[in-house]
Amino acid sequence: MPETIAGITIPDTELVRQATSLVRESADDTIFHHSRRVFLWGMLKSAARGIEVDPELAYVGGLFHDLGLTPAYATTDRRFELDGAEAARGFLLEHGRSEEEARNVWLAISLHTTPEVPLHLAPEVGVVTLGVETDVLGLDLDEITGAQRAEVVAAHPRPDFKNRILKAFHEGMVHRPDTTFGTMNDDVLAHFDPSFRRKDFVEIIRNNPWPE
């Protein structure tokens, strides 16, 4: 029987069941519950805005978006967003979804820390950003009723979430600091690691090898 939380039905499909199992096995409670909430918030906000979204694709986007922070999927030489995006793309293609559908979920995950841009792309891209901005930053909470918020958090609690997600971000990126250049992720490393030095975009331009 399909599970419904705050009016959002979790698709009762083999693809969704396998996605849930994969992320449950790979991620800790903080990442897993956060990822489920991202799906639910994203779907609630999309519905409030009159946007139709493929629920299976939105689910995989939400569930896989932080998979690159987990030891099983983290690499050492690329942004964590790309690790999750690649895993989701491969998963969807293996489960019979089209290249375009898999590409949209790849974009959803790879761009979920890039403000504004995802909301101008396909609904399956924007839905992940809407969910992430709600759960991590608390943006536009007025689009979700108090009752809906309470039901989602009852199903997927967020104990000490602000500190726990920051810890997960730091642990998932501290071994690859160069990948945070040009993103908000370098704020996390700068906060937790006093030895971290941000690359300066202006200085890169001024000191590049092009002659004046």
Side-chain angles (χ1 to χ4, degrees), residues 130-165:
L130 288 175
V132 170
E133 289 180 344
T134 302
D135 207 49
V136 179
L137 304 177
L139 298 185
D140 300 317
L141 280 175
D142 59 329
E143 293 184 33
I144 299 170
T145 69
Q148 289 171 329
R149 285 183 238 165
E151 190 170 342
V152 170
V153 173
H156 295 289
R158 33 182 297 144
D160 196 28
F161 176 68
K162 295 177 183 179
N163 290 317
R164 290 185 180 187
I165 196 62

Side-chain angles (χ1 to χ4, degrees), residues 14-35:
E14 185 63 23
L15 183 151
V16 164
R17 286 190 289 272
Q18 290 192 24
T20 304
S21 178
L22 183 153
V23 177
R24 199 70 184 100
E25 292 173 2
S26 303
D28 64 13
D29 284 349
T30 296
I31 294 295
F32 175 75
H33 289 296
H34 163 58
S35 299

Side-chain angles (χ1 to χ4, degrees), residues 7-166:
I8 301 299
T9 299
I10 312 296
D12 186 19
T13 65
E14 185 63 23
L15 183 151
V16 164
R17 286 190 289 272
Q18 290 192 24
T20 304
S21 178
L22 183 153
V23 177
R24 199 70 184 100
E25 292 173 2
S26 303
D28 64 13
D29 284 349
T30 296
I31 294 295
F32 175 75
H33 289 296
H34 163 58
S35 299
R36 289 264 293 193
R37 290 194 306 271
V38 163
F39 164 73
L40 293 165
W41 301 138
M43 292 297 285
L44 284 166
K45 279 192 171 177
S46 293
R49 298 180 184 194
I51 300 170
E52 292 189 11
V53 186
D54 182 308
E56 278 194 332
L57 298 182
Y59 190 81
V60 172
L63 267 285
F64 281 58
H65 86 277
D66 274 346
L67 205 55
L69 297 173
T70 67
Y73 288 88
T75 60
T76 59
D77 59 351
R78 65 185 181 192
R79 290 171 54 169
F80 84 88
E81 301 96 326
L82 294 178
D83 293 337
E86 289 293 331
R89 179 181 178 277
F91 177 86
L92 287 167
L93 292 176
E94 289 171 6
H95 285 80
R97 286 296 197 148
S98 71
E99 181 64 47
E100 180 182 2
E101 291 168 332
R103 179 68 173 175
N104 279 337
V105 176
W106 186 96
L107 286 169
I109 297 172
S110 64
L111 293 175
H112 82 265
T113 57
T114 302
E116 295 190 57
V117 174
L119 303 183
H120 294 273
L121 301 175
E124 290 73 26
V125 179
V127 67
V128 174
T129 289
L130 288 175
V132 170
E133 289 180 344
T134 302
D135 207 49
V136 179
L137 304 177
L139 298 185
D140 300 317
L141 280 175
D142 59 329
E143 293 184 33
I144 299 170
T145 69
Q148 289 171 329
R149 285 183 238 165
E151 190 170 342
V152 170
V153 173
H156 295 289
R158 33 182 297 144
D160 196 28
F161 176 68
K162 295 177 183 179
N163 290 317
R164 290 185 180 187
I165 196 62
L166 285 170

